[in-house]
C-alpha cells in the first residue's frame, strides 16, 4: 500500500467513518485513494475553515474524533482558525494536510507554507512526515494523542511523495491499557465537611472526560449549590434544583453572588477563564479552593489551589459521590440561601405578552427552549445571541450545547451544526446565529443543500455587530465604530438561492408559529428573526472588572446621554 492507503487503513482500524475536507494538488493522492473506499464518508465543505469547524462540531456532539483534510499552502492556512478553536476548547481533532514534495521543501515552491511553524501554538502535537514507512505508526500515535488525557488537535503534514510511495506493512504495537486509579481524596473531603458555604463550579472538562453520569451522581449525592462555565452548561441537567446557572461576565446575579460569598470552591474540569472569573483578585475572595482537573498545567496556573487533584474525572467523581452518600453534608442553610438568590437573581426574564411587540432575544430563546425536543443540539455562533442561548435555553446535556468558548470564533455555528448533523442524522440540530456571524461562513449553505441535511437555521438579525455595539455604548461613551450591518442582504432570499426554504418573523405573536414551522419541516429551513438594534445582553461585567460589579439594564445610559455624546 502507498502512504495514502495507509491513512485510510488507520481510519478503518479506529472506526473513523466521517471526514470533512477540500481537495487540492498536494493532498490529491489521498483523494484518489478515497475513490475506492466505501467505508469513509467524505464531506465536501465549501471552505477549509468550514471543514475544521464542522469536524469540531462533529467531535463535540458525538464525543468522537473529528477529522479534517486539506491541501498545502492556502488549504492549510485556511484551516488554522478552526484548529485554533478546537485547541482552545480541548476538542479531539485529527488534521491532515498535503505538503509539497520532500525535495521542494524550503525552496518556496508553489503552495508551500511552513505549516508546523505556523501552528505550533494551536495544536497538541504536530508531525512533518519524511518517510512513508513511518506514516502508519504516526497515524496510530496521532489518533491516540488527540483523544487521550486532555484532548486537542493533532496535525499531520505529509509531503506528496510520501503519500504516493509504497510503505512496508509492519505490525503495530497494541496500545497500552492504563487503569484509571483514584488519587487520595482525604484532604478534599475534610475541606468539604468543614465548609459552611461550599460551591460546586464545573466546566467543559466534564464532557471531555465523558464523565457526565459520574458528575450528576456526585451533584445529587452532595446537593451542593452549583455554577457552570459557558462550556459547562448542561452538566447538571435541566432539573437539578441546586443549579444556579452560568457565572461570569454575562452570568446570573445568583451565580456570581454565590461565588462571591462561598467559603469553599470545588472546581472540576474548568480552567478559571477570565470571562468566568472577572478580575481574579476579586474572584471568590472568601473561599478556599479544591481544583480537580485532568491537566496538571491548569492547576495553580491562575490561582493557587488549597487542594489540587489531578486524575481521571470519572474515578474521582465516583469516589466523592460514594463518600458523600455515606456521610451527607450539613449545608441546609446555605442551600436555602442560594435557592432564594436564584429565585430573585436568576435568568427569569418575563416573556413580552404584547402580541404586536417587537421580538426580544431572551423571549425568543425561552420559547425555543420550551418547544424544541429535549435532545436538540444547539450550535451557536458568537455574539449577543450566544449569550441569550447560554442564559435562557435549558440544556439537559453538555453535548447539546455547541459554542466557541475560548477563541470566540464568529462563523463557528453553521459548520459546527453541519458536523453535529453528520454525527446523528436523526437528531434535531439548530444553528442559532446573528447576522454578523452568519455571513462569516454562509457558503456552507451549499454543503447543507448538497447533503440535504435537516439543519434548522435561526438568524437573529439586529443589523449590527450587537456585542461590539453594546460595549461601545457602555464603555466607550457610545462612540459607535464600524458596527453597522444595515446593508445586510435579504437573508430569506439568500437561503432560497441555495434552495433552502425560509421564513421571516418580527413580532412576538409570530415566534411560536415560526419555531414550530421550521421544526416540522422535513429538511433544512431558515428562520429570519428581526430584533431591535438597541437590545443588549443583561447583566454584563465590564472587561477587567470584578464580577460583583455587574451592570444591569437599570444602569444603562439614558437616551439623553446618548444624544449628548452624539
Amino acid at each position: 500500500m502507498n502512504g495514502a492507503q495507509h491513512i485510510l487503513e488507520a481510519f478503518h482500524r479506529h472506526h473513523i467513518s466521517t471526514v470533512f475536507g477540500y481537495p487540492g494538488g498536494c493532498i490529491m493522492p489521498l483523494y484518489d485513494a478515497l475513490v475506492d473506499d466505501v467505508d469513509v464518508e467524505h464531506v465536501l465543505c465549501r471552505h477549509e475553515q468550514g471543514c475544521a469547524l464542522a469536524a469540531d462540531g462533529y467531535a463535540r456532539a458525538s464525543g468522537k474524533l473529528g477529522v479534517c483534510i486539506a491541501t498545502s499552502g492556502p488549504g492549510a492556512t485556511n484551516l488554522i482558525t478552526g484548529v485554533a478553536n478546537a485547541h482552545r476548547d480541548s476538542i479531539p481533532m485529527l488534521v491532515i494536510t498535503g505538503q509539497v514534495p520532500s525535495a521542494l521543501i524550503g525552496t518556496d515552491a508553489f503552495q508551500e507554507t511552513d505549516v508546523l511553524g505556523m501552528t505550533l501554538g494551536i495544536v497538541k502535537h504536530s508531525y512533518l512526515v519524511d518517510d512513508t514507512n513511518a506514516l502508519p505508526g504516526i497515524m496510530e500515535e496521532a489518533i491516540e494523542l488527540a483523544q487521550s488525557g486532555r484532548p486537542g488537535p493533532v496535525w499531520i503534514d505529509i509531503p506528496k511523495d510520501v503519500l504516493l510511495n509504497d510503505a512496508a506493512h509492519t505490525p503495530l504495537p497494541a496500545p497500552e491499557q492504563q487503569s484509571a486509579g483514584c488519587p487520595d481524596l482525604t484532604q478534599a473531603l475534610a475541606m468539604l465537611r468543614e465548609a459552611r458555604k461550599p460551591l460546586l463550579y464545573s466546566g467543559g472538562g466534564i464532557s471531555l472526560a465523558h464523565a457526565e453520569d459520574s458528575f450528576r451522581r456526585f451533584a445529587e449525592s452532595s446537593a451542593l449549590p452549583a455554577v457552570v462555565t459557558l462550556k459547562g452548561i448542561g452538566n447538571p441537567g435541566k432539573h437539578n434544583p441546586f443549579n444556579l446557572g452560568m457565572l461570569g461576565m454575562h452570568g446570573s446575579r445568583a451565580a456570581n453572588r454565590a461565588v462571591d460569598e462561598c467559603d469553599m470552591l470545588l472546581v472540576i474540569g474548568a480552567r478559571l477563564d477570565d470571562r468566568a472569573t472577572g478580575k481574579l483578585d476579586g474572584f471568590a475572595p472568601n473561599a478556599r479552593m479544591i481544583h480537580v482537573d485532568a491537566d496538571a498545567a491548569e492547576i495553580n496556573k491562575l490561582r493557587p489551589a488549597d487542594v489540587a487533584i489531578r486524575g481521571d474525572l470519572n474515578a474521582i467523581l465516583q469516589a466523592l459521590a460514594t463518600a458523600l452518600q455515606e456521610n451527607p453534608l450539613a449545608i441546609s442553610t446555605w442551600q436555602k440561601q442560594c435557592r432564594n438568590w436564584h429565585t430573585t437573581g436568576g435568568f427569569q426574564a418575563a416573556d413580552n405578552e404584547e402580541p404586536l411587540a417587537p421580538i426580544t432575544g431572551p423571549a425568543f430563546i425561552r420559547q425555543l427552549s420550551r418547544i424544541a425536543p429535549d435532545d436538540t443540539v444547539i450550535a451557536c455562533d458568537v455574539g449577543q445571541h450566544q449569550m441569550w442561548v447560554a442564559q435562557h435555553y435549558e440544556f439537559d446535556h453538555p453535548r447539546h450545547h455547541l459554542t466557541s468558548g475560548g477563541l470566540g470564533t464568529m462563523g463557528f455555528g453553521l459548520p459546527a451544526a453541519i458536523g453535529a448533523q453528520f454525527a446523528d442524522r436523526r437528531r434535531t440540530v439548530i444553528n442559532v446565529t446573528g447576522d454578523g456571524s452568519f455571513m462569516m461562513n454562509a457558503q456552507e449553505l451549499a454543503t447543507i443543500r448538497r447533503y440535504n441535511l435537516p439543519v434548522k437555521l435561526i438568524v437573529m438579525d439586529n443589523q449590527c455587530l450587537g456585542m461590539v455595539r453594546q460595549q461601545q455604548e457602555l464603555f466607550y461613551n457610545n462612540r459607535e465604530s464600524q458596527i453597522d450591518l444595515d446593508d445586510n442582504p435579504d437573508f430569506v432570499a439568500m437561503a432560497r438561492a441555495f434552495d433552502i426554504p425560509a421564513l421571516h418573523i418580527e413580532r412576538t405573536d409570530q415566534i411560536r408559529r415560526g419555531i414550530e414551522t421550521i421544526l416540522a419541516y422535513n429538511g433544512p429551513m431558515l428562520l429570519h428573526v428581526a430584533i431591535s438594534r438597541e437590545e443588549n445582553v443583561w447583566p454584563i461585567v465590564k472587561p477587567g472588572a470584578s464580577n460583583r460589579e455587574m451592570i444591569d439594564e437599570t444602569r444603562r445610559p439614558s437616551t439623553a446621554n446618548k444624544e449628548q455624546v452624539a
Side-chain angles (χ1 to χ4, degrees):
M1 295 191 295
N2 66 17
Q5 291 164 333
H6 272 289
I7 292 173
L8 296 183
E9 184 186 61
F11 288 171
H12 301 156
R13 194 162 50 247
H14 291 276
H15 310 290
I16 295 169
S17 57
T18 305
V19 300
F20 303 85
Y22 203 98
C26 288
I27 197 66
M28 211 171 291
L30 179 55
Y31 277 83
D32 182 66
L34 277 166
V35 173
D36 301 318
D37 195 305
V38 297
D39 296 320
V40 176
E41 181 177 22
H42 178 278
V43 180
L44 178 67
C45 297
R46 296 307 175 95
H47 190 284
E48 289 90 352
Q49 185 183 113
C51 299
L53 294 173
D56 182 317
Y58 177 90
R60 290 181 199 241
S62 67
K64 300 177 182 178
L65 180 70
V67 179
C68 58
I69 302 170
T71 195
S72 63
T77 59
N78 283 343
L79 289 174
I80 286 177
T81 295
V83 176
N85 190 78
H87 181 258
R88 288 299 304 274
D89 285 351
S90 302
I91 304 303
M93 182 185 290
L94 180 66
V95 185
I96 297 175
T97 51
Q99 183 55 275
V100 299
S102 301
L104 294 179
I105 291 177
T107 68
D108 295 328
F110 177 68
Q111 291 194 334
E112 180 191 1
T113 54
D114 178 12
V115 171
L116 262 67
M118 286 191 295
T119 61
L120 280 174
I122 60 165
V123 294
K124 189 175 179 182
H125 195 67
S126 56
Y127 303 85
L128 174 60
V129 186
D130 60 4
D131 179 1
T132 305
N133 289 320
L135 185 57
I138 287 174
M139 287 294 297
E140 288 298 306
E141 186 174 90
I143 291 169
E144 169 66 17
L145 272 174
Q147 300 176 93
S148 62
R150 180 176 184 164
V154 175
W155 197 310
I156 308 178
D157 196 38
I158 312 173
K160 187 174 184 178
D161 56 303
V162 171
L163 290 169
L164 288 168
N165 291 342
D166 288 339
H169 187 83
T170 56
L172 296 168
E176 295 182 11
Q177 298 296 324
Q178 296 182 343
S179 59
C182 183
D184 182 17
L185 303 178
T186 305
Q187 275 188 287
L189 287 166
M191 190 182 297
L192 273 170
R193 298 196 191 287
E194 290 169 6
R196 291 294 167 262
K197 298 180 180 180
L199 188 68
L200 175 59
Y201 174 136
S202 68
I206 300 298
S207 60
L208 293 175
H210 302 276
E212 299 92 345
D213 292 342
S214 300
F215 177 83
R216 292 189 187 183
R217 183 184 166 209
F218 167 69
E220 182 180 338
S221 301
S222 67
L224 285 167
V227 299
V228 294
T229 67
L230 178 65
K231 280 195 65 205
I233 289 172
N235 285 345
K238 291 175 67 171
H239 306 296
N240 185 308
F242 300 109
N243 178 30
L244 302 176
M246 184 176 70
L247 82 161
M249 175 177 278
H250 293 290
S252 73
R253 284 195 172 277
N256 282 340
R257 185 166 184 183
V259 173
D260 200 49
E261 298 203 16
C262 71
D263 63 3
M264 200 287 298
L265 196 62
L266 174 56
V267 181
I268 302 181
R271 59 188 181 88
L272 302 179
D273 175 72
D274 61 288
R275 284 296 175 100
T277 66
K279 187 177 180 182
L280 201 58
D281 62 11
F283 177 71
N286 307 309
R288 301 162 73 195
M289 189 174 80
I290 302 169
H291 198 167
V292 182
D293 206 280
D295 185 0
E298 289 300 338
I299 297 173
N300 297 320
K301 183 174 83 173
L302 293 171
R303 172 168 169 163
D306 296 277
V307 174
I309 304 172
R310 176 179 177 262
D312 177 74
L313 297 192
N314 267 298
I316 293 166
L317 287 164
Q318 289 167 16
L320 287 172
T322 300
L324 293 180
Q325 275 180 331
E326 296 169 355
N327 187 4
L329 301 175
I331 53 172
S332 58
T333 301
W334 172 240
Q335 291 168 332
K336 182 178 179 181
Q337 177 65 80
C338 288
R339 281 197 297 268
N340 289 339
W341 285 336
H342 186 52
T343 300
T344 59
F347 295 123
Q348 304 295 326
D351 295 338
N352 190 331
E353 299 297 337
E354 174 56 48
L356 301 182
I359 295 170
T360 68
F364 180 88
I365 296 300
R366 289 171 73 84
Q367 284 218 47
L368 178 65
S369 181
R370 288 194 290 266
I371 296 169
D374 281 348
D375 65 347
T376 297
V377 172
I378 304 290
C380 279
D381 271 287
V382 171
Q384 290 178 313
H385 62 279
Q386 177 192 27
M387 293 299 104
W388 287 324
V389 167
Q391 293 175 337
H392 299 286
Y393 197 99
E394 295 186 28
F395 289 95
D396 199 42
H397 196 282
R399 293 200 185 279
H400 297 166
H401 177 229
L402 312 186
T403 195
S404 174
L407 198 64
T409 304
M410 293 178 68
F412 166 80
L414 177 52
I418 290 171
Q421 196 72 81
F422 273 103
D424 188 342
R425 294 290 190 107
R426 299 162 298 177
R427 178 166 288 178
T428 300
V429 177
I430 302 174
N431 169 215
V432 178
T433 184
D435 48 325
S437 287
F438 181 64
M439 291 293 287
M440 291 280 186
N441 273 312
Q443 77 283 341
E444 298 309 328
L445 291 174
T447 307
I448 288 176
R449 182 71 277 165
R450 169 183 283 248
Y451 297 98
N452 196 30
L453 301 175
V455 173
K456 314 305 178 185
L457 306 152
I458 296 174
V459 181
M460 303 186 76
D461 182 4
N462 57 7
Q463 304 221 325
C464 69
L465 297 175
M467 191 63 83
V468 181
R469 183 206 57 74
Q470 176 172 347
Q471 293 212 17
Q472 288 176 348
E473 174 191 335
L474 297 177
F475 311 131
Y476 292 88
N477 296 320
N478 202 35
R479 289 163 55 86
E480 293 186 353
S481 178
Q482 303 301 317
I483 49 85
D484 277 325
L485 299 178
D486 54 6
D487 56 354
N488 278 330
D490 180 336
F491 290 122
V492 170
M494 183 176 174
R496 289 173 179 167
F498 286 90
D499 198 24
I500 295 173
L503 179 69
H504 169 84
I505 63 173
E506 58 188 21
R507 300 193 314 266
T508 298
D509 63 341
Q510 298 172 323
I511 293 177
R512 174 169 286 276
R513 178 178 65 86
I515 293 171
E516 290 178 344
T517 299
I518 65 168
L519 291 178
Y521 185 73
N522 184 26
M525 190 170 184
L526 181 143
L527 179 63
H528 178 239
V529 184
I531 61 173
S532 168
R533 184 184 188 277
E534 302 303 315
E535 189 173 0
N536 287 335
V537 178
W538 303 109
I540 183 174
V541 176
K542 183 178 180 178
S546 168
N547 285 346
R548 69 166 64 95
E549 302 174 55
M550 299 195 82
I551 303 170
D552 58 28
E553 193 163 8
T554 62
R555 294 181 58 191
R556 178 177 179 168
S558 67
T559 303
N561 287 341
K562 290 181 187 177
E563 291 173 353
Q564 185 177 4
V565 170

